[in-house]
Amino acid sequence: MNKLAATPGFLHGGDYNPDQWLDHPEILKQDLKLMQQAHINTVTVGVFSWALEEPTEGVYNFGWLDRVFAEMAKIHGHVILATPSGARPHWLSQKYPEVNRVDENGRRHTHGFRHNHCYSSPVYREKVRQINTKLAERYGQNPTLLMWHASNEYSGECYCNLCQSNWRRWLQRKYSSLDALNRAWCLSVWSGLYSDWSQVLPPSPLGETKVHGMDLDWKRFVTAMTIDFYQQEIQPLRELTPNIPITTNFMADGPANQQYTPMVGLDYSKFAKAVDVVSWDSYPEWHNNYETVAETAMKTAYIHDQFWSLKHQPFLVMESTPSYVNWAQYNKAKQPGMHILSSFQQLAHGSDSTLYFQIRQAQGNSEKFHGAVIGHDGTADNRVFQEVATYGAQLEKLAEIKGATKDVRVAIIFDWESQWAFDRGGGFGRPTRLGIQTLQKHYAIFWGQDIACDIVTPDADLSRYKLVVAPMLYLQRPATMQALQAYVAQGGTLVSSYFSGMVDEDDRVLLGGLPTPLRELFGIKRRELDTLLPGEHYHVHYGSNVYPTHDYDEVIEAETANVLATYTDNFYQATPAVTQHHYQQGTAYYLAARMDRDFLTAFYAKIIAKLQLANSFVIAPSYEVSCQTRYQNGYQYHFLMNFSETPQTVKLQRSTLDLLTGTPVEKTVTLAKYGVMVLREKA
Ligand code: GLA
Ligand code: ZN
């Protein structure tokens, strides 16, 4: 068992930068006291400390870090030790300028900012290996070391000559011959055929921007390079500290454009295989002016569930903010109660930690107005600090839940490669593609009814699910189609839609209409797809209601499928809009049009009833109150969370024990505004 798994209780703490306060010993002393008051048991240190750890090449300075370990040991706390490759020291960029990234316009950057090194550079890799070896040698056996935090938020790409050579080598390994590459990327279009490997460059605004297959491969390559860099970076840690688990903090995209989704830049399904524990940095935009708190909670829940699903194991929230961030347009404070509510939501969906960026607010430089546990006032007499401390004390009462698992019967399929291809392709509606946003619309139906969902890639073991939801699965490999077929054949229920199975893994259109395996599975023929303009709606008659369509109406023909709904207008009036097909032991549904929540609610209501997916604890769940359940040692732990501004009464099937107060509770409970309860019962 690795050290994290063997450690009892949830982790509470976060990024700590004593290196910013070395000339203030009184502050460092104060930190330790305040951490204890806030029930903090974990610090993440050294994330950006390379310049201090190795002030000049080959000269090391670890005294300050030794003291952090010693101090944390005094309070029986843990250290998550970062490798410092996220931001390099000046001397390194100066002496070896090739470690600086080259951008897509071919410009070599000068030193500055962070997360901007070349992933290929042998010098950079060597320097990282050296400092990481030193850290592992010095702290690897220290009992206070809990885990490794490799680098920070890996992202971005480099276009230097070394990276270009690696790109060509990667393509040569993948395609063997230039002919195969020319065919895969359809390069006879616009005279793009290569006659020599040396002609192959990365996509760039100065050169090639239009070859979709190239863009898709470039994204695969960037993921492969990033993981390769990470693998090399952790090699000394693996060798010297085999029992210390390693993670790196993943990210979400947004919140921008009112959207909040897992980051798509790197294929995290691949990256997750290389880490021992998944962790991510969670910064939802609570209390915004474009959606309800419940809606923000739904999107955040989706991301938590996706990170859970990467390994089907507890993950860590590596960063979150106790109050506000500093990088948004408007950096709002969390209202009273929101910090505790949003932190419990992390645990509810499978996190074993609540960690913050950061413990003490910086005095200067770029993040001085980012929220922190200890603010510029430096006291405990502070609303944010008090809320963190209250939460920390509550966490201690829930120690038995750490490591608990989940029981999930519904999966939504998300494929990074499909998303990349889908976003890239021309045609249809640019602003209305909304791949992940559409998945979140489907997810919202289940989240709103307290039915747990996984978000998995197409190669996942689907047999564990009663329902698989795979709308707009644009890119499909033969193996994906076979897996979907096999899942339904063996009794599964599948929901898919327009925009599914349109291109192969090279982003080439699958000829002949809906590919045969999908045609057999759904019992339909695909005719054409109409893109609707903003404000343009047609209608679908389903049950006893008529629902508006938007963005996309596909015209299909039912071959062996039953027609459940038809269009009521436009040139496809009276043709099928929703179908159901019994395929061997299972059932496959097809949604030809994009419709909103009212339709999805009505549509899924029948499936939820038929498959008996309804939550077995909460009676008549509401959208504002979420219930998520974790399981361990014969107990169920229900997290009840009120994402609304008014008190909510919830009716439950059984009486339970309230773990936060230690008292039994009846079958009706009332949650205050933003209130939370953690209820335990025998499974
Ligand atoms: C990221 C980084 C941190 C910090 C926070 C601020 O998640 O990893 O170093 O900059 O953002 O929100
Ligand atoms: Zn490079």
Side-chain angles (χ1 to χ4, degrees):
M1 203 195 287
N2 74 40
K3 192 147 177 202
L4 175 65
T7 301
F10 289 115
L11 307 184
H12 186 224
D15 279 30
Y16 179 47
N17 297 295
D19 35 330
Q20 294 173 7
W21 302 94
L22 294 182
D23 46 1
H24 290 274
E26 73 292 354
I27 285 192
L28 296 176
K29 252 204 215 122
Q30 210 186 29
D31 284 344
L32 210 66
K33 256 202 230 135
L34 289 168
M35 280 191 228
Q36 284 175 285
Q37 282 180 45
H39 302 268
I40 279 176
N41 57 29
T42 303
V43 295
T44 304
V45 284
V47 181
F48 299 114
S49 306
W50 198 343
L52 197 64
E53 290 166 353
E54 191 179 0
T56 54
E57 190 169 9
V59 176
Y60 299 97
N61 161 31
F62 292 122
W64 67 277
L65 196 48
D66 294 349
R67 279 194 296 280
V68 176
F69 273 89
E71 301 280 83
M72 286 313 286
K74 271 192 222 155
I75 64 166
H76 309 290
H78 314 291
V79 171
I80 298 177
L81 184 55
T83 65
S85 69
R88 60 193 171 280
H90 274 280
W91 59 258
L92 212 161
S93 307
Q94 190 177 35
K95 181 162 179 201
Y96 310 101
E98 69 267 39
V99 304
N100 293 314
R101 253 179 215 182
V102 170
D103 67 20
E104 70 272 32
N105 290 306
R107 294 177 306 194
R108 170 85 62 189
H109 288 196
T110 55
H111 184 92
F113 202 51
R114 56 180 188 172
H115 304 148
N116 53 7
H117 53 270
C118 166
Y119 286 122
S120 300
S121 162
V123 178
Y124 199 61
R125 287 175 173 231
E126 175 56 19
K127 291 291 152 196
V128 169
R129 195 190 59 74
Q130 286 168 5
I131 183 78
N132 292 359
T133 305
K134 289 279 174 213
L135 289 169
E137 283 168 355
R138 194 171 185 98
Y139 302 107
Q141 308 311 319
N142 190 311
T144 304
L145 176 66
L146 179 67
M147 74 186 294
W148 291 107
H149 174 299
S151 198
N152 192 63
E153 297 191 335
Y154 287 106
S155 62
E157 43 211 41
C158 176
Y159 295 77
C160 76
N161 289 336
L162 288 167
C163 288
Q164 292 191 22
S165 311
N166 281 332
W167 162 236
R168 277 186 289 274
R169 216 167 302 137
W170 185 88
L171 289 169
Q172 279 165 339
R173 267 203 304 274
K174 175 167 179 184
Y175 291 104
S176 302
S177 78
L178 211 46
D179 259 5
L181 177 68
N182 281 328
R183 270 198 305 276
W185 291 359
C186 289
L187 289 175
S188 44
V189 174
W190 290 3
S191 197
L193 295 167
Y194 295 114
S195 57
D196 192 273
W197 280 103
S198 62
Q199 296 157 358
V200 184
L201 302 174
S204 153
L206 299 176
E208 193 56 80
T209 58
K210 288 286 183 199
V211 178
H212 296 171
M214 172 194 257
D215 286 353
L216 184 57
D217 270 336
W218 175 255
K219 287 195 151 58
R220 290 178 173 128
F221 165 75
V222 169
T223 291
M225 279 303 291
T226 307
I227 296 174
D228 185 71
F229 180 90
Y230 161 86
Q231 295 281 19
Q232 191 160 337
E233 151 134 44
I234 65 164
Q235 215 177 321
L237 315 180
R238 278 273 182 256
E239 275 164 30
L240 296 166
T241 64
N243 295 323
I244 305 294
I246 304 174
T247 190
T248 184
N249 44 346
F250 292 163
M251 285 188 273
D253 282 332
N257 309 323
Q258 312 188 356
Q259 291 166 8
Y260 193 42
T261 61
M263 190 180 91
V264 290
L266 292 174
D267 185 341
Y268 283 149
S269 67
K270 296 217 163 68
F271 210 151
K273 298 196 170 93
V275 301
D276 300 320
V277 183
V278 168
S279 67
W280 81 285
D281 299 344
S282 177
Y283 293 104
E285 202 167 22
W286 299 110
H287 319 295
N288 58 55
N289 56 2
Y290 51 82
E291 66 190 1
T292 61
V293 159
E295 216 52 38
T296 311
M298 178 277 290
K299 293 175 185 173
T300 310
Y302 176 98
I303 308 176
H304 285 309
D305 282 345
Q306 180 151 20
F307 285 123
W308 165 272
S309 306
L310 287 175
K311 279 190 179 295
H312 299 283
Q313 274 171 22
F315 57 92
L316 299 178
V317 169
M318 187 57 84
E319 295 179 23
S320 57
T321 178
S323 49
Y324 35 76
V325 295
N326 73 324
W327 39 258
Q329 283 299 307
Y330 303 97
N331 300 280
K332 263 192 91 57
K334 283 179 177 170
Q335 289 190 20
M338 180 48 81
H339 176 63
I340 291 180
L341 173 63
S342 57
S343 301
F344 272 115
Q345 189 193 24
Q346 303 165 355
L347 312 182
H349 285 269
S351 175
D352 271 354
S353 71
T354 293
L355 299 169
Y356 309 117
F357 181 87
Q358 52 184 338
I359 290 182
R360 183 180 279 272
Q361 196 166 25
Q363 185 177 17
N365 216 320
S366 61
E367 298 191 300
K368 62 178 178 292
F369 293 124
H370 195 289
V373 176
I374 308 168
H376 290 139
D377 64 335
T379 73
D381 179 21
N382 169 311
R383 180 181 72 85
V384 171
F385 184 93
Q386 290 299 332
E387 203 163 322
V388 169
T390 303
Y391 176 66
Q394 289 175 331
L395 272 184
E396 286 170 358
K397 298 185 180 155
L398 305 180
E400 66 188 77
I401 307 178
K402 183 194 166 244
T405 187
K406 307 207 289 185
D407 181 18
V408 186
R409 310 291 169 81
V410 180
I412 293 178
I413 296 190
F414 175 76
D415 180 352
W416 270 264
E417 297 194 354
S418 180
Q419 174 64 24
W420 292 338
F422 184 54
D423 257 358
R424 183 63 192 87
F428 316 114
R430 268 265 145 248
T432 53
R433 275 190 164 61
L434 300 173
I436 307 179
Q437 291 69 29
T438 303
L439 297 186
Q440 286 180 332
K441 291 229 155 80
H442 286 254
Y443 175 85
I445 306 302
F446 300 96
W447 182 82
Q449 296 182 43
D450 302 330
I451 299 167
C453 282
D454 280 350
I455 291 113
V456 300
T457 47
D459 58 352
D461 170 15
L462 300 181
S463 68
R464 62 161 95 183
Y465 302 108
K466 285 183 161 182
L467 173 64
V468 170
V469 176
M472 301 168 65
L473 191 51
Y474 176 74
L475 177 155
Q476 290 198 25
R477 303 162 197 83
T480 305
M481 299 185 213
Q482 278 155 24
L484 295 177
Q485 259 198 348
Y487 166 70
V488 178
Q490 285 151 28
T493 299
L494 173 70
V495 175
S496 189
S497 77
Y498 60 95
F499 273 135
S500 291
M502 289 188 69
V503 302
D504 67 12
E505 61 186 295
D506 297 316
D507 203 3
R508 288 179 305 196
V509 173
L510 291 158
L511 301 178
L514 194 62
T516 308
L518 299 183
R519 195 171 149 184
E520 289 169 5
L521 182 52
F522 295 104
I524 60 163
K525 243 190 203 165
R526 185 176 262 170
R527 290 304 189 189
E528 57 181 310
L529 180 63
D530 190 21
T531 299
L532 308 188
L533 302 172
E536 185 180 12
H537 302 289
Y538 299 100
H539 299 87
V540 165
H541 186 216
Y542 175 74
S544 48
N545 284 305
V546 170
Y547 298 91
T549 67
H550 44 101
D551 303 336
Y552 300 102
D553 282 355
E554 191 180 26
V555 186
I556 60 168
E557 194 182 305
E559 292 187 302
T560 43
N562 307 318
V563 177
L564 300 185
T566 49
Y567 291 104
T568 62
D569 38 16
N570 209 355
F571 67 88
Y572 31 86
Q573 186 182 9
T575 66
V578 180
T579 60
Q580 174 203 48
H581 190 226
H582 299 297
Y583 178 77
Q584 299 188 31
Q585 308 294 306
T587 309
Y589 294 87
Y590 192 88
L591 308 175
R594 183 177 284 176
M595 288 179 275
D596 55 23
R597 187 167 288 173
D598 287 346
F599 166 78
L600 291 174
T601 303
F603 170 74
Y604 280 118
K606 291 197 173 149
I607 296 179
I608 288 168
K610 191 172 143 208
L611 300 177
Q612 299 179 331
L613 296 170
N615 187 295
S616 61
F617 180 56
V618 179
I619 299 170
S622 78
Y623 199 78
E624 283 68 33
V625 177
S626 174
C627 175
Q628 300 290 329
T629 303
R630 291 180 69 174
Y631 299 77
Q632 179 141 276
N633 297 331
Y635 287 110
Q636 297 187 29
Y637 299 94
H638 307 290
F639 291 78
L640 281 186
M641 299 164 280
N642 179 5
F643 289 104
S644 82
E645 280 73 26
T646 50
Q648 300 282 342
T649 297
V650 185
K651 288 198 168 6
L652 306 168
Q653 297 283 5
R654 299 172 292 277
S655 33
T656 50
L657 180 76
D658 179 334
L659 277 189
L660 294 175
T661 62
T663 52
V665 287
E666 291 310 312
K667 290 196 222 166
T668 301
V669 297
T670 300
L671 296 156
K673 167 185 177 181
Y674 300 157
V676 179
M677 288 181 128
V678 185
L679 304 178
R680 187 181 79 182
E681 63 170 335
K682 275 250 183 290

